[in-house]
Amino acid sequence: MTLLTRIPGLTLKNPIMPASGCFGFGREYSELFDLNKLGAIIIKAATLESRYGNQTPRVAETSSGMLNAIGLQNPGVEAIIDNEVSFLANYDLPIIANVAGSTVEEYVAVTKAFTRTANIDAIELNISCPNVKEGGIQFGTDPTLAAEVTASVKQASKVPVYVKLSPNVSNITTMARAVESAGADGLSMINTLTGMQINLNSRRPLLANKTGGLSGPAIKPVAIRMIYEVRQQTSIPIIGMGGIMTAEDVLEFLLAGANAVAVGTANFHNPFVCPEIIEALPEVLAKYGFSSVEQAVGKGHEYGHKDLSRT
Amino acid sequence: MTLLTRIPGLTLKNPIMPASGCFGFGREYSELFDLNKLGAIIIKAATLESRYGNQTPRVAETSSGMLNAIGLQNPGVEAIIDNEVSFLANYDLPIIANVAGSTVEEYVAVTKAFTRTANIDAIELNISCPNVKEGGIQFGTDPTLAAEVTASVKQASKVPVYVKLSPNVSNITTMARAVESAGADGLSMINTLTGMQINLNSRRPLLANKTGGLSGPAIKPVAIRMIYEVRQQTSIPIIGMGGIMTAEDVLEFLLAGANAVAVGTANFHNPFVCPEIIEALPEVLAKYGFSSVEQAVGKGHEYGHKDLSRT
Amino acid sequence: MNKTSVTIISKKIIAKETIELTFHAEGYVNQISPGQFIHINVGNGSSNLLRRPISIADVDVDSQIVTIIFKIVGVGTDQLSRTEVGDKLDILLPCGSGYPINQLELDRALIIGGGIGVPPLYYLAKQLNKQGVAVTAVIGFQSKDYVFYESKFKELGNCHVVTDDGSYGFKGFVTDLLNDTPIDYDYFFSCGPTGMLKAVSTQLKNRNGYISIEQRMGCGVGACYACVVPTNDGTNGFKKICKDGPVFQANEVVLV
Amino acid sequence: MNKTSVTIISKKIIAKETIELTFHAEGYVNQISPGQFIHINVGNGSSNLLRRPISIADVDVDSQIVTIIFKIVGVGTDQLSRTEVGDKLDILLPCGSGYPINQLELDRALIIGGGIGVPPLYYLAKQLNKQGVAVTAVIGFQSKDYVFYESKFKELGNCHVVTDDGSYGFKGFVTDLLNDTPIDYDYFFSCGPTGMLKAVSTQLKNRNGYISIEQRMGCGVGACYACVVPTNDGTNGFKKICKDGPVFQANEVVLV
Ligand SMILES: Cc1cc2nc3c(=O)[nH]c(=O)nc-3n(C[C@H](O)[C@H](O)[C@H](O)COP(=O)(O)OP(=O)(O)OC[C@H]3O[C@@H](n4cnc5c(N)ncnc54)[C@H](O)[C@@H]3O)c2cc1C
Ligand SMILES: Cc1cc2nc3c(=O)[nH]c(=O)nc-3n(C[C@H](O)[C@H](O)[C@H](O)COP(=O)(O)OP(=O)(O)OC[C@H]3O[C@@H](n4cnc5c(N)ncnc54)[C@H](O)[C@@H]3O)c2cc1C
Ligand SMILES: Cc1cc2nc3c(=O)[nH]c(=O)nc-3n(C[C@H](O)[C@H](O)[C@H](O)COP(=O)(O)O)c2cc1C
Ligand SMILES: Cc1cc2nc3c(=O)[nH]c(=O)nc-3n(C[C@H](O)[C@H](O)[C@H](O)COP(=O)(O)O)c2cc1C
Ligand code: FES
Ligand code: FES
């Protein structure tokens, strides 16, 4: 049984990495377990300047999920490189930097800043941010804008670029094909679905930002569907995410076509979930007849053995 | 306390109705409780001809939700009028007919057929169906197609037309405004989010149709967000739905801007859920300071009293 | 059909991964006919919205006690297996249409069960036996560890146990035993996995019989059309397993 | 910070909607300082993903027993209120930074608590008392039915009870009592609803003190930035309540 996973720029001991924004820069979790156990780490979104983010409350619980509106709080790319990437460089752990911005220029500047350190192995391009120049349209819901920012970042980057797709679109394959054509080395999907919760006492949206991103098991069926659809129409690798809680969930993502996976919200439920999934994965793969991670990728698209009838 | 709710074509004893496809034509539930308790009934989608629907399995459970791919199985509009509407006409219960189709012509024909009976009080236009003429693009994800079918059905209908919006779009307000301009009397939202579950044993999508519609509490935050957004940009009434399980959920929908609500998946969990919600609603409204349903509608948009600090 | 909350009065592991639960269902048991099922809320807040259908395995009208038997195969049955004596269960009962034994003329019945298809056949066998029908049961399991209720069937008549691997009783499938062993009967009654039901229906296609089939359910009451099965009469018709079934005449519906 | 599974050893309703639970936490209690909290998985499958933060109300180092007190205000605390003696709780502990009493020079402490802000102050008062500090407690509640731990605070020093409606003790807010009643102290320590903390911080802005604040949490370990609060020093800085707090110097952070 091998968990070894190879995708552009990344040779992973195993296909499990914490999702961006759900693991900070790894410091807190490094006090709980050895980060070297992870396949990789996707760090919190970086912008050019430091950002305070949204007002609180920033999170709300929903049925089998949660809403968040952190608002990209981060100390800015330079501080991240100096204080956080340097810390993570002590580990034998591929680092994926999540890049955010409000203009193409900002995305490019953040990407260029990251190229100053040799410790970033890949860029995850977070196109779910509103484009201030285009009046707030999200890069992630317009294929032309998405292709444009992808091409520019790709040019600025020395490492492979994974474009993180937003699920808030009518047609995910159009988005995926647009960024693939623009040069994306891989895809990361899905980001959160936009949602809201209204507090009955205050008669207001509970989050200070009103809307927030829905994550957790609630959205897993949407993630699986989108990955399955995109797998049939693109050929670049996919880092899958959205509601993963267990090693069985990981296998479902692999079958759908993900090459590796990220775990987000589950870290809040159980801070040890990543190492626990990594530990459980070999047995689960074996149980369902696989002897490696790579063997399982995309197998949900073939007709396998039939639903075993139970006697 | 009054639960009375008035929306175009419908004077409802209370704002609660079973959602289309989740209550058949009421027959089975009529054996369990008195249908006169309901605010209204939205019957199962009707097409022009009888349809068998998709292969089984047609449903799958997901975290706090379910997927369905029934495939619009129904005996055709004429049989529905003869056998089902006639049965429901014995009740003191407004009937909303859910109209489906693969072409604008089919939508119009079904609508015209329903106008032959005086017992249909409103049409719910289900535009989540793929348009066979336009190569399978859903009417519900293209504002131009949606406006076109709305205008045609509106012309054919003698009763108010509520257009049922699909949540699988980048921008729900564009869709809502398009159908409002085309003459919709109201909106019904949301239909299901497209999702998938892959069975680890069979290595195939569990549903025979591969994808299915995600419903239940998992999608409630998406429904609330979309209704909230649409309420700010349109002025026609909204029948809200998506994950309602309790009277508190109903109030959350009212605050978001729904004028009435439909309950779908919850019926499967508890076949008595509609009358139970109706029974609980007055107390819940009172608890949060309302003395009627209409008073609560849209109140999540105003700044109410602050989150009460607890001592 | 009623919705009620019942209290578990006994819980027993009767075979590998196989659990027998009993509960009082005062006032409801007289309505139950063999082959019907209960539709169970497996709890866990709103995580598990869909109820699970489990057949009624036995009814004691005197004590108003219902028995169910289930195998742990997933999250719902796992949860159900964690309920303890004294816990409440939220159920719908009785659901579906059972074996129409009161409308049949028969002296000898053949019962053919596979795995977790065996439970409803036990109550059927008991009722048939009570009506003076001679019952022969052929019950198949994966292997020795999964065998249950052999002695209970033996109390009612003949019982042949079959295991896929031969670790107990006859080795092979129930249809192999039927090929090998001449049994006299007027009607057969079968429940089990689809593969078995297909084999049985094909092999016994000239005989009178009833089968009970499964499908993933939404409502369980006939409203959602999740559980349809096409009829075999060429009319493009269909039946709802939760309402018209789960029991059908053999060859009445197309097994998929 | 550790993740562990503890067994509930006692459960008591100590006031209206207010429950006291105790559990053994062998090996963990020596790390706990007053003001820290535990982060609880309230169960129910994946329905409730976010843990609930509840302050540590008391610690018995000899018996290694931890006490928590919570009020039922929503689905999570409701669920918690249904746990029974013998049930397991999945918790993270100890979380956050407590009152830095070992670093303070003080002889007299003023404790100001409101509602479910009172529990962490009890363990604080006990530790202060142990260190020879004279403790005066002012604890406020909605009304008589909600009052708890008055006698426990009285064992440690002076205790004034205040109720919003005057149904017990002094009528009004804790700040009204502080206006009325001269109390000598070196440091104040306060925990309660934000409105109360604001009033207290304003009224006592020239005194040394610490407050403990609440915010909705994601991770509870400092990784997600859900629980930030701006600092008051004009640097655009911030603190994380789950990690840097919940205890802060009065006026160190902006109360929102
Ligand atoms: C009429 C009827 C009678 C049944 N009687 C029994 C019985 O007496 N004993 C017994 O052990 N089992 C019986 N079953 C099968 C039983 O319902 C499933 O094993 C059970 O629902 C699986 O649930 P799960 O959550 O453990 O499995 P999962 O696979 O996790 O279930 C997920 C979902 O799939 C559905 N599902 C999975 N397998 C089946 C299946 N075979 N049939 C229908 N739905 C399924 C579940 O209801 C649930 O909605 C019966 C099924 C039907 C339709
Ligand atoms: C550091 C800290 C210590 C606390 N100590 C105590 C204590 O000792 N006793 C006690 O009764 N309560 C305490 N609270 C408040 C307690 O955490 C909330 O009352 C509880 O989380 C409410 O959960 P619920 O599911 O019942 O309510 P719901 O309103 O249904 O909760 C939904 C979500 O909101 C969060 N939430 C709701 N209210 C609060 C709040 N006031 N603060 C933080 N999150 C909230 C919940 O954690 C959950 O994620 C403390 C809070 C913090 C931050
Ligand atoms: C609190 C929180 C913060 C997040 N921050 C980011 C972020 O900074 N950048 C990003 O691309 N995605 C961010 N995400 C999205 C996650 O990386 C992930 O795509 C999503 O949550 C789905 O996975 P999950 O269901 O496992 O959480 C955030 C999610 C959460 C819950
Ligand atoms: C089994 C099932 C069948 C449905 N059939 C229809 C339908 O025929 N027409 C329609 O407009 N919506 C249909 N829906 C969508 C529901 O009416 C409703 O919009 C959706 O399920 C969200 O509400 P809920 O979360 O309360 O179920 C169906 C939903 C389910 C679960
Ligand atoms: S399960 Fe709904 S019709 Fe059978
Ligand atoms: S709750 Fe995550 S940083 Fe505090």
Side-chain angles (χ1 to χ4, degrees), chain A residues 21-210:
Chain A
C22 301
F23 206 76
F25 301 99
R27 258 182 215 282
E28 294 77 18
Y29 292 95
S30 76
E31 291 168 19
L32 303 182
F33 62 85
D34 181 1
L35 298 186
N36 285 333
K37 290 184 178 173
L38 299 171
I41 180 173
I42 311 182
I43 58 179
K44 194 166 164 34
T47 52
L48 194 55
E49 308 296 335
S50 90
R51 280 178 63 123
Y52 180 75
N54 296 321
Q55 297 304 303
T56 51
R58 292 177 170 187
V59 292
E61 190 180 73
T62 69
S63 291
S64 297
M66 66 174 283
L67 292 166
N68 89 81
I70 306 295
L72 296 178
Q73 176 159 23
N74 80 96
V77 63
E78 296 296 344
I80 291 173
I81 294 168
D82 292 344
N83 308 326
E84 309 296 347
V85 176
S86 58
F87 164 77
L88 286 170
N90 299 322
Y91 292 90
D92 170 26
L93 182 66
I95 305 173
I96 304 176
N98 185 276
V99 169
S102 314
T103 57
V104 174
E105 293 71 32
E106 184 175 1
Y107 278 111
V108 168
V110 176
T111 303
K112 282 206 172 129
F114 274 126
T115 63
R116 137 163 115 72
T117 158
N119 294 317
I120 299 296
D121 300 279
I123 296 288
E124 182 179 54
L125 180 59
N126 177 358
I127 57 171
S128 304
C129 317
N131 179 344
V132 295
K133 278 204 185 154
E134 302 290 333
I137 302 177
Q138 291 201 346
F139 287 98
T141 58
D142 180 318
T144 315
L145 285 179
E148 186 191 332
V149 66
T150 302
S152 303
V153 164
K154 183 63 194 153
Q155 211 169 14
S157 178
K158 292 190 189 147
V159 293
V161 175
Y162 290 78
V163 180
K164 184 158 179 181
L165 301 182
S166 161
N168 301 295
V169 296
S170 318
N171 195 326
I172 193 74
T173 57
T174 309
M175 295 301 304
R177 284 200 313 255
V179 302
E180 182 182 36
S181 306
D185 298 286
L187 300 167
S188 169
M189 55 192 293
I190 58 175
N191 213 316
T192 53
L193 274 167
T194 310
M196 181 188 279
Q197 183 171 99
I198 297 182
N199 186 275
L200 304 187
N201 280 310
S202 68
R203 301 183 186 174
R204 288 198 295 174
L206 192 141
L207 299 179
N209 187 53
K210 294 191 178 172

Side-chain angles (χ1 to χ4, degrees), chain D residues 217-227 240-242:
Chain D
M217 292 185 178
C219 65
V221 306
C224 78
Y225 294 71
C227 68
K240 294 173 193 163
I241 293 174
C242 71

Side-chain angles (χ1 to χ4, degrees), chain A residues 63-64 168-170 194-198 201-204 210 217 221 225 228 252 256 288 290 299-300 303 305, chain B residues 63-64 168-170 194-198 201-204 217 221 225 228 252 256 288 290 299-300 303 305:
Chain A
S63 291
S64 297
N168 301 295
V169 296
S170 318
T194 310
M196 181 188 279
Q197 183 171 99
I198 297 182
N201 280 310
S202 68
R203 301 183 186 174
R204 288 198 295 174
K210 294 191 178 172
R225 185 264 295 183
Y228 189 93
E252 190 179 352
Y288 291 99
F290 298 103
K299 283 298 185 303
Y303 173 82
H305 50 294
Chain B
S63 291
S64 296
N168 300 296
V169 295
S170 318
T194 310
M196 180 187 280
Q197 185 173 97
I198 297 182
N201 280 310
S202 69
R203 301 183 185 174
R204 289 199 293 175
R225 185 263 295 181
Y228 189 93
E252 190 178 354
Y288 291 99
F290 298 103
K299 281 300 184 302
Y303 173 81
H305 49 294

